[in-house]
């Protein structure tokens, strides 16, 4: 970026004094909005073509402007473009450079347009694509979860399910994988919904009130792949809810990935010992030679803070701005770029890492059998025998108390001890309280029984195929 040789500002007509240097730096956004260069030029190309079609510019003018813009795009993509801080933002850098290349006719590009509808258009194009790209990456990770669910179902790997992080009931590991696949499916849907809702063109709204020029907003909308032009020019230049919606979807998505991270961090501890994360996605310690740290998961959990911050930041920027455009809105971009970049990498990392994780079936099954995880099954057994469930709960609670006071499992209680509590109970009944029996009994729709999980895997694979 260069800061030298300030040329006349594109808006400099009424100004007698040069812009203060610090103000120039403070005001400039080119340091980050140059990321919108491609969108900016695409929108300008659509705009100038439309000006030609409407007879607002002559064919020769359109051709020169178009040629110049294409040259600029090539230069930018090749890294041969001089971004100048004194030219403030991406829009004026491109336009001033166009003037350097093709002379005064460049000034006709901005006919029937304002930077306000220009930036709103560029940014929508960017965010629409970002949402679509993240949806695709989310889908790829979702497919990974479904594949892992399938891989660990035959024979089913069992693990403890938790509530309050206390052992609750045994579940299939595949069921756990599918739970994340479900969350990710909704995340993908949220991103695509957001992309769909923002798919309207602000171009042609002008500064705020529309324009007296006979423009064709349908044509520019179509050329840029938008479904239609936005209906209200004030709304078109003032609104950033499309970016907020994108960031909301990102925030929810990374909240899910953060929960996953937290679980993987816990499950990979020596104390849990459920999973070994791959060497390729863990790091060592510079002092403790034995360490293998889950940095990827920790960072993914930590980066949720940035993405939530992006959403909160933009909500705060928008909330106090009167209609229509205010310079505050220039603050809408960096947080969106950051959230997009963060999620792009986290989604990819997990898609690469999960298939390489090694799950320890024996340890997990053992953990699933501890903590009286099948006590509910015993209560259900009594209730199925006619006892009201609340009473059955009370009876089994007493047995758990007895077993834990004497350091035993439920199936280690004697026939007499069991019969003394309820005539339906026996050592034979207690011996059936295995983790496998518990899991395979949960045949309700959406339950953890392996055949149910198998059906859900098939359905998930179908859905992945359908919208492929
Ligand atoms: N760089 C500005 C932004 O990102 C472009 C719009 C400027 N419009 C204006 N009226 N000053 O918001």
């Amino acid at each position: 970026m260069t800061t030298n040789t300030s040329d006349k500002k594109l808006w400099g007509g009424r100004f007698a004094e040069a812009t203060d240097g610090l103000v120039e730096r403070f005001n400039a956004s080119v340091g980050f909005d140059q990321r919108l260069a491609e969108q900016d030029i695409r929108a300008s190309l659509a705009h100038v073509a439309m000006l030609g079609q409407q007879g607002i510019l002559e064919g020769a003018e359109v051709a020169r402007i178009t040629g110049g813009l294409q040259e600029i795009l090539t230069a930018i993509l090749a890294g041969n473009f001089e971004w100048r801080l004194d030219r403030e933002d991406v829009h004026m850098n491109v336009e001033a450079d166009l003037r350097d290349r093709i002379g005064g006719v460049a000034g006709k590009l901005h006919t029937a347009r304002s930077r306000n509808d220009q930036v709103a258009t560029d940014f929508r194009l960017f965010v629409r694509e970002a949402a679509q790209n993240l949806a695709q990456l989310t889908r790829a990770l979702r497919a990974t979860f479904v594949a892992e669910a399938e891989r660990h179902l035959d024979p089913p790997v069992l693990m403890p399910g938790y509530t309050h992080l206390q052992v609750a009931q045994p579940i299939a590991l595949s069921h756990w994988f599918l739970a994340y696949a479900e969350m990710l499916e909704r995340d993908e849907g949220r991103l695509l919904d957001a992309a769909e809702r923002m798919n309207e063109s602000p171009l042609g709204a002008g500064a705020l009130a529309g324009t007296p020029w006979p423009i064709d907003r349908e044509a520019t909308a179509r050329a840029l792949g938008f479904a239609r032009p936005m209906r209200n020019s004030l709304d078109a230049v003032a609104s950033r809810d499309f970016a907020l919606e994108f960031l909301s979807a990102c925030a929810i998505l990374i909240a899910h990935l953060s929960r996953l991270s937290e679980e993987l961090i816990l499950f990979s501890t020596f104390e849990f010992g459920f999973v070994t994360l791959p060497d390729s996605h863990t790091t060592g310690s510079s002092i403790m030679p034995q360490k293998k740290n889950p940095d990827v998961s920790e960072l993914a959990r930590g980066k949720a803070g940035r993405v939530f911050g992006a959403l909160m930041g933009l909500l705060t920027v928008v909330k106090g701005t009167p209609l229509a455009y205010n310079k505050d809105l220039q603050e809408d971009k960096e947080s969106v770029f950051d959230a997009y970049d963060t999620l792009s990498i986290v989604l990819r990392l997990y898609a690469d890492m999960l298939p390489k994780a090694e799950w320890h079936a024996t340890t997990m099954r053992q953990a699933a059998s501890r903590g009286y995880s099948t006590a509910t099954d015993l209560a259900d057994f009594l209730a199925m025998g006619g006892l009201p469930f609340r009473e059955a709960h009370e009876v089994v609670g007493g047995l758990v108390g007895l077993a834990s006071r004497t350091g035993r499992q439920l199936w280690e209680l004697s026939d007499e001890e069991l019969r003394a509590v309820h005539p339906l109970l026996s050592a034979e009944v207690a011996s059936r309280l295995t983790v496998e029996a518990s899991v395979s009994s949960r045949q309700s729709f959406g339950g953890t029984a392996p055949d149910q999980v198998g059906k859900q895997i098939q359905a998930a694979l179908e859905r992945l195929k359908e919208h492929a």
Side-chain angles (χ1 to χ4, degrees):
M1 179 103 39
T2 52
T3 49
N4 56 341
T5 54
S6 211
D7 50 16
K8 193 167 163 20
K9 298 272 186 260
L10 291 178
W11 41 254
R14 65 159 290 176
F15 291 80
E17 205 188 338
T19 312
D20 175 86
L22 196 55
V23 170
E24 195 157 83
R25 248 170 59 202
F26 189 57
N27 204 34
S29 54
V30 63
F32 51 88
D33 67 12
Q34 54 181 270
R35 195 161 170 185
L36 299 177
E38 240 185 287
Q39 287 80 3
D40 192 67
I41 291 175
R42 257 163 68 203
S44 286
L45 287 169
H47 180 67
V48 75
M50 179 277 292
L51 293 178
Q53 274 150 21
Q54 297 299 104
I56 298 170
L57 295 192
E58 284 167 19
E61 296 169 328
V62 173
R64 283 190 65 195
I65 293 173
T66 301
L69 286 170
Q70 272 155 351
E71 261 179 54
I72 293 174
L73 181 58
T74 308
I76 291 172
L77 294 177
N80 286 333
F81 187 83
E82 188 198 6
W83 293 106
R84 287 174 49 168
L85 196 81
D86 61 294
R87 287 177 173 178
E88 194 174 321
D89 59 20
V90 59
H91 323 292
M92 294 199 292
N93 264 268
V94 169
E95 194 184 322
D97 196 83
L98 185 67
R99 186 191 53 201
D100 295 345
R101 284 170 199 263
I102 66 169
V105 64
K108 295 203 172 187
L109 169 61
H110 213 50
T111 310
R113 184 178 80 171
S114 150
R115 263 190 302 158
N116 298 346
D117 58 340
Q118 191 178 355
V119 71
T121 304
D122 297 359
F123 199 34
R124 264 181 197 256
L125 287 171
F126 182 93
V127 180
R128 183 181 66 179
E129 195 180 317
Q132 285 162 345
N133 288 345
L134 284 189
Q136 202 155 32
L137 288 171
T138 303
R139 183 185 191 75
L141 180 58
R142 196 183 130 200
T144 305
F145 272 95
V146 177
E148 288 304 295
E150 198 170 24
R151 196 154 76 88
H152 292 91
L153 193 63
D154 193 18
V157 174
L158 305 182
M159 67 184 283
Y162 297 91
T163 62
H164 314 267
L165 198 57
Q166 308 283 327
V167 171
Q169 292 170 348
I171 57 171
L173 173 61
S174 301
H175 199 50
W176 178 86
F177 277 121
L178 281 193
Y180 281 102
E182 292 286 339
M183 294 175 229
L184 292 174
E185 189 168 341
R186 292 191 295 274
D187 287 319
E188 185 189 333
R190 267 185 281 274
L191 286 163
L192 292 175
D193 287 351
E196 185 58 38
R197 206 173 349 270
M198 73 179 75
N199 196 23
E200 296 184 327
S201 174
L203 194 58
L208 74 161
T211 171
W213 295 90
I215 59 171
D216 182 352
R217 292 193 59 209
E218 293 279 352
T220 47
R222 221 176 308 118
L224 295 170
F226 287 117
R228 64 193 82 86
M230 290 181 77
R231 289 183 293 260
N232 181 288
S233 63
L234 270 185
D235 174 48
V237 293
S239 294
R240 293 294 181 270
D241 55 295
F242 65 96
L244 287 170
E245 197 174 349
F246 170 71
L247 287 175
S248 310
C250 288
I252 298 172
L253 171 55
I254 204 155
H256 291 155
L257 298 175
S258 183
R259 296 184 87 173
L260 169 72
S261 302
E262 170 66 8
E263 294 207 281
L264 290 174
I265 291 164
L266 272 176
F267 292 170
S268 64
T269 56
F270 181 74
E271 288 78 357
F272 272 82
F274 290 1
V275 66
T276 304
L277 300 174
D279 283 0
S280 56
H281 288 71
T282 45
T283 56
S285 154
S286 53
I287 176 170
M288 296 167 283
Q290 84 284 10
K291 293 278 288 215
K292 182 167 172 180
N293 293 326
D295 286 28
V296 166
S297 296
E298 290 170 283
L299 274 173
R301 187 177 58 183
K303 282 180 189 291
R306 297 169 78 106
V307 178
F308 296 174
L311 172 61
M312 287 309 135
L314 185 55
L315 280 168
T316 313
V317 165
V318 168
K319 79 179 253 301
T321 50
L323 302 190
Y325 179 83
N326 305 265
K327 192 74 175 219
D328 314 42
L329 294 182
Q330 181 165 285
E331 290 293 309
D332 60 0
K333 294 170 199 64
E334 286 160 289
S335 54
V336 165
F337 295 155
D338 190 72
Y340 176 43
D341 294 340
T342 301
L343 273 158
S344 302
I345 184 161
V346 173
L347 288 165
R348 255 183 253 151
L349 283 170
Y350 269 132
D352 293 342
M353 172 169 151
L354 282 169
K356 295 171 83 180
E358 196 191 322
W359 295 89
H360 304 302
T362 313
T363 310
M364 292 169 90
R365 194 214 170 273
Q366 217 162 37
S369 68
R370 285 196 304 255
Y372 306 100
S373 65
T374 53
T376 320
D377 299 72
L378 194 56
D380 281 329
F381 170 81
L382 289 173
M384 285 174 189
L387 206 62
F389 184 79
R390 283 284 156 238
E391 267 175 59
H393 184 285
E394 178 77 16
V395 167
V396 178
L399 284 174
V400 169
L402 171 65
S404 72
R405 275 194 304 278
T406 53
R408 286 176 294 170
Q409 299 293 336
L410 286 177
W411 55 85
E412 290 169 337
L413 297 174
S414 71
D415 231 19
E416 300 77 67
E417 284 171 313
L418 289 161
R419 283 189 205 286
V421 188
H422 197 275
L424 277 173
L425 294 177
S426 68
E428 197 272 320
V429 166
S431 73
R432 284 194 264 132
L433 295 176
T434 63
V435 167
E436 286 73 18
S438 169
V439 169
S440 27
S441 73
R442 298 186 184 277
Q443 291 284 355
S444 52
F445 179 82
T448 196
D451 2 333
Q452 284 302 325
V453 174
K455 280 183 198 162
Q456 292 302 340
I457 290 173
Q458 288 319 311
L461 289 171
E462 281 305 311
R463 292 198 299 280
L464 277 165
K465 254 191 270 162
E466 264 168 39
H467 311 282

